[in-house]
Amino acid sequence: MTINFDTLKASLVLYGLNAIYAILLLAIGWYLSGAMQRVVTRMLAVGHRVDPLVTLFVSSVTRYGVLAVVGIAVLQLFGIQTASLVAVLGATSLAIGLALQGTLSNLAAGVMLLLFRPFHIGDDVEVGGKAGKVRSLSLFMTELVAADNTQILLPNGQVWGAAIINHSAYPGTGEVKVTFPVRAGSANTLADQILKELRDDPRVDARTEPSVNVSKVIAADPAAPVVELTVSATVKPSDTDAVKQRVLDHASALLAAA
């Protein structure tokens, strides 16, 4: 077997140059993808009109799109027919897609949630039989924080396919109104303490003064008179139950200590 060293040398030089070109192309493509990601991020962040999650998603898709184009160019540089490669990848993707239908449905639902934004970070929502404050939204999962600080992770497919109740969508106010019996002698002290607690609560609307009043006399026995205290405060609708429970807990502790 005779080796043609001239042909071998020419082939090595050709492939060597192609390897150098490929490395340079990959380096340029990597830099360009990062630059495009930063440009898209800055463009979407102007004016703070686009949600940060959407900005992150779009910028990431832009970067990986540029990298995909660079990868195809590198393959063509070495003479690899990308058409047949794309066909093989398409068939492989179909098989993987059939095996991961649930995961892909969550991915598609995540994209829809990111684009249409039925809720935002910090909103109080009820979805899929769960209630809580939205903490994060990824392509696959929606994270809620329950009232007792419990983490709730919901697949995006369940979120997108269910009725979404957003308590934070429209600004408004809710009213907390709690009544409980107390001894007449401790009514004023108890009312002052509860009123101070409400004034210090940031969830109570500062524009509307909370009130604690004696609404009626329950037992007029001179030996042990009992009256009814009524606590009223204005809060956000999503905070009504929490503030009401705090008032009841505080009142119970004060009555126990009295």
Side-chain angles (χ1 to χ4, degrees):
M1 180 178 180
T2 303
I3 300 176
N4 190 330
F5 289 99
D6 292 335
T7 303
L8 180 60
K9 181 179 178 180
S11 298
L12 290 176
V13 171
L14 178 62
Y15 282 107
L17 290 174
N18 285 341
I20 294 174
Y21 293 152
I23 293 173
L24 290 175
L25 188 60
L26 286 174
I28 294 173
W30 185 266
Y31 172 78
L32 185 61
S33 65
M36 289 295 295
Q37 184 179 24
R38 290 190 292 272
V39 169
V40 171
T41 301
R42 284 196 296 268
M43 290 176 59
L44 295 178
V46 173
H48 303 284
R49 295 182 178 180
V50 180
D51 191 273
L53 288 176
V54 178
T55 301
L56 178 62
F57 172 69
V58 174
S59 61
S60 298
V61 169
T62 302
R63 180 180 183 183
Y64 290 119
V66 173
L67 290 176
V69 172
V70 172
I72 293 175
V74 170
L75 292 176
Q76 288 181 338
L77 189 62
F78 285 99
I80 299 176
Q81 298 297 323
T82 55
S84 58
L85 180 62
V86 170
V88 173
L89 290 176
T92 305
S93 300
L94 178 61
I96 295 174
L98 291 175
L100 301 174
Q101 293 183 38
T103 302
L104 291 179
S105 66
N106 289 330
L107 174 62
V111 172
M112 299 299 287
L113 289 170
L114 285 170
L115 292 178
F116 290 98
R117 306 302 297 162
F119 48 75
H120 298 83
I121 302 301
D123 284 359
D124 288 299
V125 300
E126 294 181 33
V127 59
K130 305 296 181 180
K133 188 182 294 292
V134 179
R135 181 167 185 176
S136 67
L137 172 62
S138 65
L139 288 177
F140 296 96
M141 304 290 291
T142 297
E143 181 182 359
L144 306 180
V145 180
D148 59 352
N149 206 34
T150 302
Q151 182 188 52
I152 302 174
L153 295 175
L154 295 172
N156 285 336
Q158 295 183 12
V159 177
W160 182 251
I164 300 174
I165 302 174
N166 191 342
H167 297 291
S168 304
Y170 305 111
T173 57
E175 184 181 6
V176 173
K177 194 168 186 178
V178 183
T179 60
F180 48 86
V182 297
R183 290 195 298 271
S186 59
N188 290 334
T189 302
L190 187 61
D192 291 339
Q193 291 175 327
I194 294 176
L195 194 58
K196 182 180 182 302
E197 183 79 12
L198 289 174
R199 287 171 177 167
D200 294 338
D201 195 328
R203 294 170 296 184
V204 177
D205 191 349
R207 297 169 299 180
T208 305
E209 179 71 13
S211 64
V212 183
N213 300 309
V214 175
S215 53
K216 66 179 180 179
V217 177
I218 298 177
D221 185 358
V226 178
V227 297
E228 182 183 76
L229 280 184
T230 299
V231 180
S232 299
T234 303
V235 299
K236 293 180 179 179
S238 57
D239 293 330
T240 301
D241 292 337
V243 174
K244 183 182 293 185
Q245 187 61 48
R246 181 175 180 178
V247 170
L248 289 173
D249 294 340
H250 188 62
S252 298
L254 293 174
L255 289 173

